[in-house]
Amino acid sequence: MKVIAAGGGIGGLATALMLLDRGVECTVFEQAPEVRELGVGINLLRHAVKMLGRIDLIDDLATVAIKTDELLYMNSFGQPVWSEPRGLAAGYEVPQFSIHRARLQRVLLDALVERFGLSFGQGTA
């Protein structure tokens, strides 16, 4: 089986890593000539982190992300309104991470380069 991933963003790179890890040939097509730091911060919820853990990326994420232990809502005076534990603090087996989307994309791209000898712009993973 051969698979095409349309785009070298988070979804395309994660898909390629998971497929290649399982021995499925995957080609990633990306129109941008280089990876640039674009986007905003995102939260990787436990179910997403669990999937990334299946391809051994939790330690890599932990070096560039913040482990989120609590979700906290405050009012306009800075007083807590509501809070809830998250990730490991909530008793789950994996953490929740807060990370800039470009850093997540870089972790995924670096893993493709290290594990499969690819570089951005080669087109085939």
Side-chain angles (χ1 to χ4, degrees):
M1 178 187 320
K2 295 180 182 180
V3 177
I4 293 172
I10 293 167
L13 296 177
T15 298
L17 272 168
M18 292 195 182
L19 289 170
L20 289 166
D21 188 61
R22 288 161 179 76
V24 177
E25 185 179 336
C26 181
T27 301
V28 178
F29 290 95
E30 171 56 49
Q31 67 179 358
E34 63 184 349
V35 175
R36 295 185 0 218
E37 296 262 338
L38 298 173
V40 297
I42 59 174
N43 279 294
L44 292 176
L45 301 179
R46 61 183 166 80
H47 53 280
V49 174
K50 186 174 182 177
M51 296 307 294
L52 293 172
R54 290 185 181 177
I55 52 174
D56 299 320
L57 288 179
I58 291 179
D59 290 341
D60 295 334
L61 289 168
T63 64
V64 297
I66 297 169
K67 285 185 182 174
T68 307
D69 292 328
E70 181 180 29
L71 173 63
L72 178 63
Y73 288 100
M74 312 284 273
N75 66 19
S76 60
F77 301 105
Q79 300 164 321
V81 174
W82 178 78
S83 68
E84 176 181 275
R86 292 294 176 133
L88 298 172
Y92 294 110
E93 61 192 48
V94 296
Q96 176 175 320
F97 288 115
S98 297
I99 186 171
H100 190 282
R101 70 157 305 283
R103 287 187 179 170
L104 173 57
Q105 185 178 14
R106 177 54 61 187
V107 166
L108 297 170
L109 183 58
D110 288 349
L112 276 170
V113 170
E114 291 173 17
R115 297 175 189 185
F116 301 102
L118 304 172
S119 64
F120 193 80
Q122 282 184 307
T124 301

